[in-house]
């Protein structure tokens, strides 16, 4: 087992202006607040970021805004996986050229029932096109993508591209799968998608978490990470688990954005792009309770 630093990367929400264009000012402000609250880095343009409702140009411009505002590229693992290989190559080349730590890459996700051979070829096409500086974090979220990243596929990718495959985010919700990945591939960084699993992830030799609710509770999650093995671990774990549990009962992305809006006192953060719709009054009490438990996004 390889013990490594346990890290929190936040899949930062993408704020929108009243005309539903990307609100770069709020995006940068939220990103800076997350880093200040203790996040080790950001994983923008994933599921929580509504990335598949963003154009390639919007993603590139928003990533450049983060770096232009002083966030280190070494703290960024932007999502780049698209259905079209050309889009994935463009986004991955752009992020790599900017010096990002790596890219979080979905497999092509429109066609279902495809073989591991086909998914391998899709990843290989991108890796070979982008070049030697690319670092890929595989993104396993089969309940959304419909295309699993199997253990045999990971093994094959690492064998073919040992200097490129850097890690994996397991958003399946299946701890047994995460544990199997960590055990089989101790040389890569494996992240869970729930902060509730951080103690298990760390003990197994994983790398930490990339969690939607860390947009609201980055400080609490960082306290848990820093307190692992200490006398306050149980209390910190209870706090992050309570926040996470509330969001699991809500429309996740609209609720996270509504919670950030409540936490900051800025209603603009709550805007979502279709097909999402804003949370309703019947969600308000639960969102307020999550924010209460999370507290302010202040440094740990």
């Amino acid at each position: 087992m390889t013990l490594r630093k346990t890290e929190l990367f936040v899949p930062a929400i993408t704020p929108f202006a009243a005309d539903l264009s990307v609100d770069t000012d709020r995006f940068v402000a939220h990103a800076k607040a997350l880093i200040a609250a203790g996040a080790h880095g950001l994983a923008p343009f994933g599921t929580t970021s509504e990335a598949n409702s963003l154009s390639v140009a919007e993603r590139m411009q928003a990533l450049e805004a983060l770096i232009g505002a002083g966030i280190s590229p070494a703290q960024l693992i932007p999502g780049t996986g698209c259905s079209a290989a050309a889009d994935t190559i463009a986004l991955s080349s752009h992020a790599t050229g900017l010096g990002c730590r790596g890219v979080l890459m979905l497999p092509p996700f429109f066609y279902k029932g495809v073989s591991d051979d086909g998914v391998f070829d899709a990843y290989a096409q991108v890796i070979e096109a982008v070049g030697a500086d690319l670092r890929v974090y595989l993104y396993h979220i089969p309940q959304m993508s419909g295309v699993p990243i199997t253990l045999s596929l990971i093994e094959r990718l690492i064998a073919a591209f040992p200097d490129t495959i850097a890690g994996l985010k397991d958003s399946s919700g299946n701890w047994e799968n995460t544990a199997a990945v960590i055990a089989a591939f101790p040389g890569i960084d494996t992240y869970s998608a729930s902060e509730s699993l951080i103690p298990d992830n760390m003990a197994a030799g994983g790398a930490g978490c990339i969690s939607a609710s860390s947009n609201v509770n980055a400080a609490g999650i960082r306290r848990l990470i820093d307190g692992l093995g200490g006398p306050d671990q149980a209390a910190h774990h209870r706090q992050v688990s309570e926040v996470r549990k509330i969001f699991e009962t809500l429309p996740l992305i609209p609720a996270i954005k509504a919670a950030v809006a409540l936490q900051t006192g800025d209603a603009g953060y709550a805007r979502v792009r279709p097909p999402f719709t804003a949370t309703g009054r019947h969600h308000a009490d639960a969102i307020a309770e999550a924010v209460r438990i999370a507290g302010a996004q202040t440094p740990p």
Side-chain angles (χ1 to χ4, degrees):
M1 181 180 69
T2 301
L3 291 177
R4 48 172 47 85
K5 181 180 179 181
T6 301
E7 295 179 306
L8 167 64
F9 276 76
V10 182
I13 59 168
T14 304
F16 298 118
D19 63 358
L20 296 186
S21 62
V22 174
D23 189 329
T24 303
D25 289 343
R26 284 190 175 97
F27 184 56
V28 168
H30 181 57
K32 286 185 170 183
L34 293 169
I35 298 294
H40 296 91
L42 307 174
F45 319 125
T47 305
T48 308
S49 312
E50 299 171 81
N52 290 302
S53 297
L54 302 176
S55 70
V56 168
E58 285 176 322
R59 295 202 217 184
M60 289 182 176
Q61 290 163 5
L63 181 61
E64 290 171 6
L66 293 180
I67 295 171
I71 294 175
S72 170
Q75 293 178 288
L76 297 171
I77 308 176
T80 62
C82 302
S83 286
D87 291 343
T88 304
I89 291 167
L91 288 167
S92 300
S93 295
H94 178 253
T96 300
L98 290 173
C100 290
R101 170 169 165 163
V103 301
L104 184 61
M105 195 180 295
L106 283 166
F109 49 81
F110 180 79
Y111 298 106
K112 309 304 187 287
V114 295
S115 67
D116 274 6
D117 286 344
V119 180
F120 175 88
D121 290 345
Y123 275 113
Q125 181 181 8
V126 175
I127 291 167
E128 290 165 359
V130 177
D133 292 335
L134 177 65
R135 297 291 176 270
V136 173
Y137 293 79
L138 304 168
Y139 190 4
H140 177 62
I141 184 167
Q143 69 274 29
M144 298 289 283
S145 70
V147 182
I149 298 175
T150 64
L151 293 178
S152 59
L153 174 61
I154 300 168
E155 181 177 23
R156 188 174 170 188
L157 286 167
I158 291 174
F161 306 105
D163 297 325
T164 301
I165 305 304
L168 177 139
K169 179 190 178 187
D170 187 354
S171 292
S172 67
N174 181 350
W175 166 248
E176 288 72 21
N177 183 75
T178 311
V181 172
I182 295 170
F185 310 109
I188 68 171
D189 293 334
T190 299
Y191 295 89
S192 299
S194 170
E195 56 270 38
S196 298
L197 294 173
I198 285 175
D200 293 327
N201 183 289
M202 182 276 294
C209 86
I210 302 174
S211 164
S213 41
S214 60
N215 279 278
V216 179
N217 196 28
I221 297 169
R222 179 59 187 268
R223 281 191 290 269
L224 170 61
I225 289 173
D226 290 346
L228 287 170
D232 296 323
Q233 175 180 320
H236 295 323
H237 185 250
R238 183 165 55 251
Q239 189 262 8
V240 303
S241 297
E242 287 175 356
V243 174
R244 175 77 187 188
K245 186 176 181 180
I246 290 171
F247 284 115
E248 288 175 348
T249 70
L250 296 167
L252 182 61
I253 293 167
I256 292 292
K257 297 187 90 169
V260 173
L262 181 61
Q263 201 169 41
T264 60
D266 182 350
Y269 279 105
R271 295 189 189 100
V272 291
R273 274 186 179 175
F276 289 119
T277 58
T279 55
R281 291 182 179 177
H282 55 295
H283 300 124
D285 288 347
I287 291 169
E289 179 65 2
V291 169
R292 184 193 68 77
I293 297 169
Q297 287 281 38
T298 53

